[in-house]
């Protein structure tokens, strides 16, 4: 069965391609290489022994999307990762975000709605909850007004899918990721941030390698156990597996609604200082860091209630924070060697 993975050479996309191939799905990747490298294919092949089909294509080009679905008329399901994801950049250049994240989604759905049956998995984010009132966050927590164009594209994306599913054969699962981290245990694929990493874990591993002088810990006066923000760091391989399970659920028509929503997290919150401690433990080295002012737009805490995913999807995060950080460190050391 052929599955399209858009953004399949990116961080979460590439790990999901590996899990799909491990489960004998035939994978076709669309990627425009705007934030990924073609050599990621080699890592995927090294792990799975199989080469996915790769179509270098920009989803903002409506005709190219049309041509793709003519060529690959047998695509049975789509996992849609391709999107821009830097919060700060989205504030600077909102139209880039609306074009990349919304136009592309619309063009994909336009093609899919012509099919008699189509399964669609959407990369959403816990960012839709903003600062939720209650922890852990359940899927029925209210969606808060987005604080960045990036966050807004995820909310609008969810709404578009809901509307289209009502009037078409498209069934969808919206996966709301918490904070994905780590790399494949083989260190053949992992995260490849361009420039200075905005996210915590790649910044830590680069600092550990001496590429950055020190980590700035954004805010130490939050009302949390040690004053730093709390997040739910989910191992990327566990996250990738959630996609395969969700996709199978739709393909086998086991879904209970046209659109279902699941949190994908571990259920455990960790502070920034706890992540640093984990890094120090697995790497056996001290991490230089300083406490600085809060970063604008950060919520105090966000961690998932995972009961819905546990019970209904039958999926549970298996790896610990230490294991995830260890994999990120192994990957960082490999790409710098
Ligand atoms: C984690 C924690 C920072 C860097 C973002 C997006 C979200 C998303 C995941 C999609 C925070 C602290 C960070 C640093 C620090 N989804 N930090 N020093 O902000 O939770 O979520 O990525 O793509 O939509 O908003 O993740 O990794 O940036 O930060 O102290 O140099 O680490 O303040 O508490 P965040 P993050």
């Amino acid at each position: 069965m052929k599955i399209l993975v858009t953004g399949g050479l990116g961080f979460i996309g590439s790990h999901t391609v590996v899990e799909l191939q491990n489960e004998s799905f035939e994978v076709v990747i669309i990627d425009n290489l705007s934030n990924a490298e073609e050599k990621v294919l080699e890592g995927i092949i090294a792990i799975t022994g199989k080469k996915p089909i790769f179509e270098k294509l920009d989803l903002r080009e409506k005709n190219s999307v049309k041509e793709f679905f003519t060529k690959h008329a047998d695509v049975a399901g789509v996992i849609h990762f391709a999107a821009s994801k830097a919060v700060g950049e989205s504030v600077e250049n909102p139209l880039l975000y609306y074009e990349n994240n919304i136009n592309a989604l619309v063009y994909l759905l336009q093609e899919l709605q012509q099919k008699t049956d189509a399964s669609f998995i959407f990369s959403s984010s816990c960012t839709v909850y903003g600062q939720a009132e209650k922890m852990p966050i359940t899927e029925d927590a209210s969606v808060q007004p987005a604080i960045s164009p990036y966050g807004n594209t995820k909310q609008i994306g969810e709404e578009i899918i809901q509307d289209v599913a009502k009037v078409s054969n498209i069934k969808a699962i919206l996966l709301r990721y918490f904070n994905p981290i780590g790399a494949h245990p083989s260190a053949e694929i992992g995260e490849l941030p361009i420039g200075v990493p905005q996210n915590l874990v790649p910044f830590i591993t680069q600092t550990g390698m001496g590429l950055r002088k020190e980590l700035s810990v954004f805010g130490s006066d939050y009302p949390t156990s040690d004053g730093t923000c709390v997040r739910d760091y989910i191992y990327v391989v566990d996250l990738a597996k959630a996609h395969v399970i969700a996709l199978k659920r739709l393909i086998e028509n086991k879904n209970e609604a046209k659109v279902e929503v699941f949190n994908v997290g571990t259920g455990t919150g960790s502070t920034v200082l706890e992540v640093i401690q984990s890094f120090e433990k697995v790497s056996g080295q001290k991490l230089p860091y300083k406490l600085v002012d809060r970063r604008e737009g950060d919520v105090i805490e966000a961690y998932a209630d995972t009961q819905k995913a546990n019970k209904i999807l039958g999926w549970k995060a298996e790896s610990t924070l230490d294991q995830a950080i260890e994999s990120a460190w192994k990957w960082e050391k490999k790409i710098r060697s």
Side-chain angles (χ1 to χ4, degrees), residues 12 84-88 124-128 147-148 150-151 154 177-181 191 196-204 214-219 222 228-233 270-273 275-276 290 292-295 297-300 302:
I12 308 168
S84 299
K85 60 161 191 175
V87 176
S124 191
S125 169
C126 67
T127 191
V128 301
I147 51 170
S148 72
Y150 162 73
K154 290 297 167 188
Y177 314 155
F178 282 68
N179 290 57
I181 61 162
E191 198 169 359
V196 181
Q198 305 298 308
N199 294 113
L200 179 63
V201 172
F203 200 103
I204 287 178
E214 63 190 350
L215 169 75
S216 294
V217 175
F218 299 136
Y222 284 103
T228 65
C229 292
V230 171
R231 296 287 183 276
D232 185 337
Y233 296 93
S270 305
T271 67
V272 178
L273 295 182
V275 177
I276 294 172
K290 63 170 181 224
V292 303
D293 286 347
R294 293 179 176 195
R295 179 173 72 176
D298 268 337
V299 297
I300 304 166

Side-chain angles (χ1 to χ4, degrees), residues 146-168:
I147 51 170
S148 72
Y150 162 73
N152 207 21
T153 65
K154 290 297 167 188
Q155 294 189 7
I156 297 169
E158 287 196 358
E159 289 168 5
I160 291 172
I161 295 164
Q162 297 273 8
D163 288 342
V164 177
K166 280 183 204 144
V167 293
S168 71

Side-chain angles (χ1 to χ4, degrees), residues 167-185:
V167 293
S168 71
N169 290 316
I170 296 173
K171 352 168 230 189
I173 291 183
L174 317 177
L175 296 179
R176 291 178 177 162
Y177 314 155
F178 282 68
N179 290 57
I181 61 162
H184 195 269

Side-chain angles (χ1 to χ4, degrees), residues 236-256:
V236 66
V237 175
D238 284 331
L239 173 60
K241 288 179 179 165
H243 289 79
V244 180
I245 293 172
L247 180 72
K248 281 187 177 166
R249 178 176 172 82
L250 291 181
I251 289 171
E252 292 164 9
N253 286 313
K254 290 189 175 148
N255 52 310
E256 288 160 13

